[in-house]
Amino acid sequence: MILVTGGCGFIGSHTVRALLNLGEDCVVVQRRASELPPVLDGTRVMVEQADTTDRDALLAVGRRHDITGIVHLAGSYPWPPVPDAPVEATRQALGGLLNVAEAAQEWGVRRLGIASTIGVYLGAAGDGPLREDAPLSMTAPGSIPTFKKVGEMLSGFLADTTGLDIVNYRISGTWGPLGHPDPFFAAPALIHSAARGAAPDLSHLVHPAFAEDGLDLTYVKDTGRAIALLQLADKLNYRTYNVGSGRATTNAQISQAIKNSVPDAQVDLPTGGATPHLVLDISRLKEDTGYHPEYDTERAAADYITWLRAGNDN
């Protein structure tokens, strides 16, 4: 049985669904009691209410279930990004990661997977797709990439000293059902506006959106499946894997894909913008798991719009 922290969240719920599709049983832990998300309706998922920062509550889960693997997708970083008590927020974030590692050791799990982010590459030198062995900058712009870099270093230390099989997932920009408008890319907001028949509100973006802006974007169903394959692979040759599409998707391509489903969608963006950047090399992922993305931009946009128009509100 695989335990998934954050298993009722955006990427987590799709990862659980993929694990179930591959024949695994799953238990998810969530901080607050809530209904399962729609993508898990009718499934055999077991739910435990526990916070990863509560060591005793987390370890108790392993006494009620035979946990053979852990996928740690719950946020191991301070939230909000600028907390009122930064020292305590840091203690909580790192404590949650260490509690999960302790649980993995106590339960004797086969593999512990930990979510990282494409953001760790910000500031990295070089052209072309980003490889996992690329040198990373010692600084990071913001709490999430900062704590993901720290988490990767800690997980390497813990793997060396405990013998645990710990794998880092450097996850690309991800969009799809259960997702919300993202501050770093426009695709979710464009999709939501098209489904509602309204003009998009992009005021939440960190930077203005232009048609030629691009990023490695992955549909969440592919992201979840990739993580599931990494968790279940018989043998992995590395500790760190890029999880993405392996290509840049521009806002112009997103807009055209939306218009193929909603011809009158108001999703055109002004021309200009940076050259597509932050594209992940996913060779390791493909070679060690057989993964290939199933959703191109057009199929992803059509699927997401259908989801939203079926009455789902996120």
Side-chain angles (χ1 to χ4, degrees):
M1 176 176 289
I2 308 299
L3 181 142
V4 182
T5 73
C8 289
F10 173 36
I11 293 175
S13 61
H14 289 276
T15 300
V16 170
R17 184 83 208 197
L19 287 165
L20 295 172
N21 290 344
L22 291 168
E24 288 294 320
D25 293 323
C26 292
V27 56
V28 303
V29 293
Q30 55 181 349
R31 290 175 182 156
R32 293 174 294 275
S34 63
E35 295 181 356
L36 285 174
V39 297
L40 297 179
D41 282 348
T43 63
R44 57 187 185 277
V45 176
M46 286 176 262
V47 180
E48 291 277 355
Q49 187 174 350
D51 193 322
T52 58
T53 63
D54 186 335
R55 173 183 176 274
D56 292 339
L58 181 63
L59 292 178
V61 174
R63 292 191 283 272
R64 295 190 289 272
H65 304 279
D66 182 16
I67 307 297
T68 58
I70 301 174
V71 175
H72 181 37
L73 301 178
S76 293
Y77 47 84
W79 193 259
V82 184
D84 293 333
V87 174
E88 181 57 27
T90 298
R91 181 180 291 112
Q92 291 287 317
L94 296 182
L97 175 60
L98 295 175
N99 289 341
V100 170
E102 182 178 355
Q105 186 177 31
E106 180 172 306
W107 302 339
V109 305
R110 178 174 171 270
R111 180 171 294 142
L112 165 60
I114 300 174
S116 187
T117 174
I118 188 174
V120 301
Y121 290 111
L122 291 169
D127 298 322
L130 295 158
R131 294 172 48 87
E132 295 90 341
D133 55 5
L136 302 182
S137 169
M138 288 297 291
T139 62
S143 64
I144 295 177
T146 295
F147 277 78
K148 293 305 185 184
K149 286 184 179 182
V150 171
E152 286 192 16
M153 293 183 68
L154 281 175
S155 70
F157 169 76
L158 292 170
D160 288 338
T161 54
T162 66
L164 286 170
D165 181 4
I166 302 179
V167 178
N168 300 302
Y169 317 131
R170 291 179 178 169
I171 301 172
S172 72
T174 301
W175 63 311
L178 298 178
H180 296 279
D182 191 283
F184 301 108
F185 55 93
L190 296 177
I191 285 282
H192 280 247
S193 68
R196 295 192 308 267
D201 178 5
L202 302 179
S203 61
H204 65 287
L205 293 175
V206 173
H207 302 290
F210 295 94
E212 285 74 34
D213 289 335
L215 178 69
D216 190 316
L217 288 182
T218 311
Y219 199 52
V220 69
K221 293 182 181 181
D222 279 334
T223 302
R225 186 167 54 85
I227 293 172
L229 289 171
L230 284 167
Q231 175 61 34
L232 300 180
D234 288 337
K235 180 177 183 294
L236 294 176
N237 294 305
Y238 305 95
R239 286 184 179 170
T240 301
Y241 288 82
N242 289 333
V243 175
S245 65
R247 66 180 186 276
T249 301
T250 66
N251 286 331
Q253 291 171 321
I254 293 288
S255 296
Q256 185 56 56
I258 292 172
K259 287 185 173 182
N260 290 341
S261 293
V262 186
D264 60 350
Q266 305 172 55
V267 291
D268 287 324
L269 296 175
T271 58
T275 301
H277 60 290
L278 288 187
V279 177
L280 298 178
D281 183 318
I282 58 171
S283 300
R284 286 185 179 182
L285 175 63
K286 289 181 174 181
E287 291 167 3
D288 283 6
T289 70
Y291 166 83
H292 287 274
E294 293 183 350
Y295 286 83
D296 60 17
T297 306
E298 184 170 344
R299 184 184 179 195
D303 187 75
Y304 197 2
I305 289 167
T306 299
W307 161 269
L308 291 168
R309 288 188 162 177
N312 300 291
D313 61 0
N314 52 28

